[in-house]
Every structure is written in C-alpha cells, then in structure tokens.
Amino acid sequence: MMNRLLNGLRTFCLLLGAALMLLPFIWMLLTSLQPASTTLSVPTNWLPQALQWGNYLNVWQAAPFARYCLNSLLVTSVTTIGQLLTSILAAFAFTHLQFYGRRVLFGLLLALMLVPGELLLIPNFVTLAHLHWINTYAALVVPWLASIFMFITLHQAFRAQPKTLYYAAHIDGASDWQYLWHVLVPTNRPIITAVALLQVIGSWNAFMWPLIVTNDDRLRTLPVGLMAFTSDQGTNYPLLMAATVCVILPLILLYFGLQKYLILGMTTSPAKGKSL
C-alpha cells in the first residue's frame, strides 16, 4: 500500500512538473492563434474564440522570413559539419597519435572551457573587423567551426575504445584514416549524433552573435529576425508567437526523430581512469 502511494505521489509530481514546463509553450501556441486585440486582455483569454490561422501567413509576409530560414539553415549546417570534422580529427589525434606537447596542449584546450563565451565576444568582433568580415556569412560561420566541448566529449568517447581494436585494424592493413572513418566513427555514432544535435540546437537558437555581426536583413537568422515584430508602437504578440512556433518546430521534429540517439549518447559512460 505504501509503495502504491509513493508511486502515485511520484507520478503526480512528474506530471505537475511536466505541466509547468509545457505551460509557456501552450500559451505561445494559443496566442499565435488569437487576434492582436485580445492578446493582453484582463483576465487572460486562454482559448481564442476564433482561430486566426492567418497569423502564420502574415508572418511570412510581414518580414523576409524565408530568407531568415535559409540563413539559419545555412549557418547551422555549416557550423555543425565544421565542428564535427574538426572535433573528430582532433579527438582522434589526441587519443591515438603521439606528438610533442600533447599533454600541455590538451590541458590548454581543457582550460579554455573555463572561459565564458561572453568574454570572447569583443575579441572575436575586433578580429573579424580587422579581416573586414563584419556583415558577411564568414562572420556567422568561421568563429564556430571548432568546439572545445564537442572535442572533449568525443575525446572521452574515443578513449573508451579498446586499443586492441586499433592494433587489430593496423594488422589487417587499415590506415589511421580508414580506422577512424570505418571503425571509430561508426562505433561512436550515438555520442556523435548527440553532440551534433546539441550543436544544431545551439546554432539554430543563437541570438547575440548574429545580432552584433550583421546589420543587413539578407544575413539575419531566425532568432534575430523575430525582432521584426517589435517596433516603437509595441509588439504584435500573435505574429511574434506564430513566428516563434515556426522557429522551434524544426527543432522539435528533429529531436523526436533523433531522440533515441540523444538518450543513448548521453547515457553512454566513457572509460575512467585511462591516461591521456
């Protein structure tokens, strides 16, 4: 009896927590279907009397939203592929190759994770300004082609693979390059998919950096483009919420499509106690 009560209480708490987390999303969705006149009414009108599906059509007409989508897709794809390539190659080099200063360099890279990202905004901006890359696609992409977090994560995953597998591949005549792409990468596909998905989410939702390095609507990404629905006269909340739904919907679909890889990658525990 006591176990049933505890299980029921646990289930109730989980459902309550889930409801509280979903509440802002429900409000966003319902607001996107309301007319602007009833958005801020008191008391709050949760259920719209008539669904305004035209708000979603107006989003694409009120701003160059298609251009924002294309820019976000381009930046997210290039940065994710770039980070995967640089992180996979770097992780393999630090786990399977011997070179001078390897431990020192790894320690420096690990220490870089302690530096807040906001601290690098000004140095990166000044560097790009000297290169005349401000307001270009290069400014949106190049600074994010490498990731210390992704490198460290893949380094731990690669280090967990038994060395005997590496030696066996060499005995069979495989080169380092073949072992990396035909054995190591397929074996660690779940963790690679997980970190790639995290990078896609971070890049797709990036706001601060695209805001400060671009001033042309042709280069704006979706999070920055949401500002088009806020003006000196106020904020058009139905259009803003409809645009926000369009922004997060691809991420939700991507998450549900790759959910099993994300969970498997995050629950995979790398080997402990191994030396660098």
Side-chain angles (χ1 to χ4, degrees), residues 69-91:
C69 289
L70 181 62
N71 290 338
S72 288
L73 183 62
L74 176 64
V75 172
T76 300
S77 301
V78 175
T79 54
T80 302
I81 294 174
Q83 287 192 16
L84 283 175
L85 287 175
T86 56
S87 299
I88 288 174
L89 294 176

Side-chain angles (χ1 to χ4, degrees), residues 1-275:
M1 185 66 180
M2 183 61 66
N3 289 335
R4 290 184 178 181
L5 289 176
L6 291 176
N7 289 335
L9 181 61
R10 187 182 300 112
T11 302
F12 174 77
C13 292
L14 291 175
L15 291 175
L16 180 61
L20 292 176
M21 293 182 65
L22 288 175
L23 188 61
F25 295 96
I26 296 174
W27 180 87
M28 174 185 67
L29 181 60
L30 294 178
T31 301
S32 70
L33 297 173
Q34 292 190 24
S37 58
T38 62
T39 304
L40 300 179
S41 61
V42 179
T44 302
N45 184 17
W46 283 90
L47 298 177
Q49 297 179 353
L51 300 180
Q52 304 293 320
W53 294 104
N55 289 338
Y56 287 89
L57 179 62
N58 294 335
V59 164
W60 296 87
Q61 298 175 345
F65 216 67
R67 183 73 181 191
Y68 299 155
C69 289
L70 181 62
N71 290 338
S72 288
L73 183 62
L74 176 64
V75 172
T76 300
S77 301
V78 175
T79 54
T80 302
I81 294 174
Q83 287 192 16
L84 283 175
L85 287 175
T86 56
S87 299
I88 288 174
L89 294 176
F92 176 79
F94 276 92
T95 52
H96 292 82
L97 303 181
Q98 300 293 330
F99 53 88
Y100 180 76
R102 184 168 65 108
R103 293 178 179 273
V104 175
L105 183 57
F106 182 82
L108 291 175
L109 291 174
L110 191 60
L112 287 177
M113 293 189 66
L114 302 177
V115 180
E118 293 77 9
L119 195 63
L120 301 176
L121 288 177
I122 296 178
N124 286 340
F125 182 86
V126 173
T127 301
L128 295 179
H130 285 299
L131 294 174
H132 304 288
W133 283 0
I134 299 300
N135 207 39
T136 65
Y137 283 110
L140 294 171
V141 171
V142 173
W144 312 110
L145 291 180
S147 169
I148 302 298
F149 168 76
M150 188 180 293
F151 158 67
I152 296 297
T153 304
L154 295 184
H155 171 268
Q156 293 297 99
F158 289 178
R159 195 178 63 166
Q161 300 299 313
K163 284 289 187 178
T164 53
L165 189 63
Y166 176 65
Y167 298 141
H170 272 275
I171 293 175
D172 289 338
S175 63
D176 284 345
W177 187 260
Q178 291 172 326
Y179 171 74
L180 172 62
W181 296 108
H182 294 286
V183 178
L184 202 57
V185 170
T187 303
N188 292 276
R189 185 176 299 168
I191 187 64
I192 293 176
T193 304
V195 294
L197 181 58
L198 293 177
Q199 165 55 26
V200 167
I201 295 174
S203 182
W204 187 266
N205 291 332
F207 174 78
M208 183 60 68
W209 183 253
L211 176 65
I212 65 176
V213 298
T214 60
N215 50 41
D216 191 338
D217 269 348
R218 294 175 301 175
L219 298 172
R220 296 291 197 187
T221 56
L222 282 171
V224 181
L226 293 179
M227 295 193 306
F229 304 101
T230 300
S231 63
D232 295 337
Q233 287 73 34
T235 301
N236 190 325
Y237 285 102
L239 292 188
L240 179 60
M241 293 301 104
T244 305
V245 171
C246 294
V247 171
I248 69 173
L249 184 60
L251 295 181
I252 294 176
L253 296 177
L254 184 64
Y255 169 76
F256 282 112
L258 301 176
Q259 182 181 15
K260 62 178 181 180
Y261 294 104
L262 179 63
I263 296 175
L264 183 60
M266 292 294 100
T267 55
T268 300
S269 101
K272 299 179 180 179
K274 291 188 177 181
S275 60

